[in-house]
Amino acid sequence: AQKITQTQPGMFVQEKEAVTLDCTYDTSDPSYGLFWYKQPSSGEMIFLIYQGSYDQQNATEGRYSLNFQKARKSANLVISASQLGDSAMYFCATPNGNNRLAFGKGNQVVVIP
Amino acid sequence: GAGVSQSPSNKVTEKGKDVELRCDPISGHTALYWYRQSLGQGLEFLIYFQGNSAPDKSGLPSDRFSAERTGGSVSTLTIQRTQQEDSAVYLCASGTGGAGELFFGEGSRLTVL
């Protein structure tokens, strides 16, 4: 079964600075994908970015980018130019067989002005 | 609205009572998932519906939990004889199938006294 690990403690980041959120995964599938979701205090899970294991270039979506290192089984999320609205929990996820997404425990980010 | 709708948003119940949580997915989405999120934790998979296929119930924690999806659209998660450990946010998500992006509702917060 696939496993996602997010072990960073809560992070404080200065507004306009970049922040990197760590995610490591363990999978035996030859083809897989990594998802990042944001969960603000409202509780809704918001899709941010996705990268497939065979994608050649790291995915980017606006201020979000994935630092995907297959050899290390790492798929870190980089948020550039942090904004106050980026304060949230961030979850990394990967399909866990039968098309079920398995989520990590999340990283807490607080952006300070 | 066009998103995933869940009701009730908050439910407080007494131990031993039954509760029903409803999810109205995005129109046309064939895949529907229920996840549970306990305080400060990641998402725990409960059940997955895909089209007319038999649901994947492998995540249901006990036989007190059941879910159905009528007409391939609205889903109801039922918890019988609720226990205090059932207190959590129950998140519903829908998608187009496969291991693609999921769209989440805002969740139903259940508190069992």
Side-chain angles (χ1 to χ4, degrees):
Chain A
Q2 285 77 348
K3 180 180 175 182
I4 294 286
T5 302
Q6 296 178 262
T7 57
Q8 284 170 302
M11 303 175 69
F12 289 90
V13 58
Q14 199 75 39
E15 193 177 8
K16 301 181 184 178
E17 296 290 316
V19 58
T20 298
L21 305 180
D22 296 340
C23 171
T24 58
Y25 58 90
D26 185 10
T27 178
S28 55
D29 286 347
S31 177
Y32 53 91
L34 273 300
F35 296 79
W36 276 93
Y37 282 82
K38 171 185 178 181
Q39 188 180 42
S41 57
S42 63
E44 185 177 358
M45 296 284 284
I46 303 167
F47 168 76
L48 295 179
I49 195 167
Y50 166 83
Q51 177 144 358
S53 58
Y54 286 106
D55 291 341
Q56 295 298 313
Q57 289 191 316
N58 284 339
T60 60
E61 288 287 344
R63 295 185 298 107
Y64 305 107
S65 61
L66 259 174
N67 182 4
F68 192 43
Q69 299 181 38
K70 287 177 68 174
R72 296 181 58 212
K73 294 194 173 182
S74 165
N76 298 339
L77 176 70
V78 180
I79 307 173
S80 61
S82 298
Q83 302 173 356
L84 296 179
D86 294 335
S87 296
M89 285 288 289
Y90 290 83
F91 292 92
C92 181
T94 192
N96 186 10
N98 298 321
N99 300 320
R100 295 187 272 120
L101 275 185
F103 289 82
K105 292 185 180 292
N107 301 97
Q108 177 77 55
V109 172
V110 176
V111 180
I112 52 178
Chain B
V4 177
S5 177
Q6 291 188 247
S7 61
S9 54
N10 276 287
K11 175 72 175 178
V12 180
T13 191
E14 294 179 346
K15 178 181 173 181
K17 301 284 190 182
D18 297 352
V19 296
E20 285 190 351
L21 307 177
R22 176 188 167 104
C23 173
D24 202 339
I26 292 173
S27 178
H29 280 187
T30 57
L32 188 148
Y33 299 76
W34 283 98
Y35 285 86
R36 178 169 70 174
Q37 186 177 28
S38 300
L39 188 63
Q41 299 296 310
L43 275 67
E44 174 190 3
F45 167 78
L46 297 177
I47 189 168
Y48 163 52
F49 296 90
Q50 173 58 52
N52 295 321
S53 302
D56 176 357
K57 304 179 182 180
S58 60
L60 294 178
S62 78
D63 59 8
R64 296 187 295 105
F65 288 73
S66 63
E68 62 178 20
R69 188 179 185 191
T70 53
S73 181
V74 172
S75 177
T76 302
L77 176 69
T78 301
I79 308 173
Q80 295 178 307
R81 305 181 302 281
T82 52
Q83 304 294 314
Q84 289 182 332
E85 60 263 29
D86 299 335
S87 296
V89 176
Y90 290 81
L91 289 161
C92 176
S94 70
T96 55
E101 177 187 349
L102 295 184
F103 296 82
F104 283 81
E106 293 194 354
S108 292
R109 182 177 297 277
L110 174 66
T111 302
V112 182
L113 301 177

